[in-house]
Amino acid sequence: MEGLSLPQGLKQTAREPNAEEQAQKEAEEAARIRDLMATILDTAARERLSRIALVSPERSRQIEVLLLRMVQGGQLRGKVSESQLIELLEQLEDAQSKTSTKKTTIVYQRRRDFDDDDF
């Protein structure tokens, strides 16, 4: 197959997308989702979702996907308010806590100095 060439005037169409095209597609998709979120959410809910994205991008992405599915399924009629977004977050948290048994715990460890009285 290596010795065969394409007839004159035909170009090879099956090619791999390069990194630049991939990055451009991802940027376009992100812009499309951002525009849709602007139409779905009111300003307070958008601000809350952007703060969630700063702390937990994965959770923000889950919420965006869920909201997009709800819009496509016709479950949302108007703009989502901040209180509705909070309810949605609580429902997601409840669903995730039921599926996972792992409980997050925080352990505080103090540094011990030479002059501590705990010896």
Side-chain angles (χ1 to χ4, degrees):
M1 296 292 284
E2 291 178 359
L4 297 176
S5 63
L6 293 173
Q8 190 174 12
L10 292 178
K11 294 182 180 178
Q12 188 175 6
T13 57
R15 62 183 178 97
E16 296 179 17
N18 59 19
E20 188 175 303
E21 290 175 352
Q22 188 74 13
Q24 183 179 4
K25 278 186 175 183
E26 289 175 2
E28 289 173 358
E29 182 71 16
R32 185 180 68 81
I33 289 175
R34 190 174 51 245
D35 291 343
L36 284 172
M37 287 297 125
T39 59
I40 294 171
L41 302 172
D42 69 356
T43 56
R46 259 194 336 220
E47 288 175 10
R48 181 174 289 272
L49 188 60
S50 65
R51 287 192 304 267
I52 291 170
L54 290 174
V55 175
S56 177
E58 181 180 320
R59 171 133 331 150
S60 171
R61 184 71 182 140
Q62 288 175 343
I63 296 165
E64 289 173 351
V65 168
L66 182 64
L67 286 170
L68 290 174
R69 277 195 217 138
M70 290 173 75
V71 167
Q72 291 170 350
Q75 295 174 345
L76 295 178
R77 295 289 178 218
K79 287 194 172 212
V80 176
S81 67
E82 186 176 13
S83 61
Q84 290 171 326
L85 183 64
I86 291 171
E87 289 176 20
L88 186 64
L89 287 167
E90 290 172 351
Q91 290 174 2
L92 276 175
E93 184 66 31
D94 290 342
Q96 287 180 350
S97 67
K98 288 179 183 176
T99 60
S100 69
T101 59
K102 182 181 175 184
K103 177 88 172 150
T104 304
T105 59
I106 299 173
V107 177
Y108 294 99
Q109 293 182 347
R110 284 187 39 207
R111 289 187 185 172
R112 295 183 181 229
D113 289 334
F114 180 72
D115 62 344
D116 277 351
D117 294 333
D118 294 338
F119 288 115

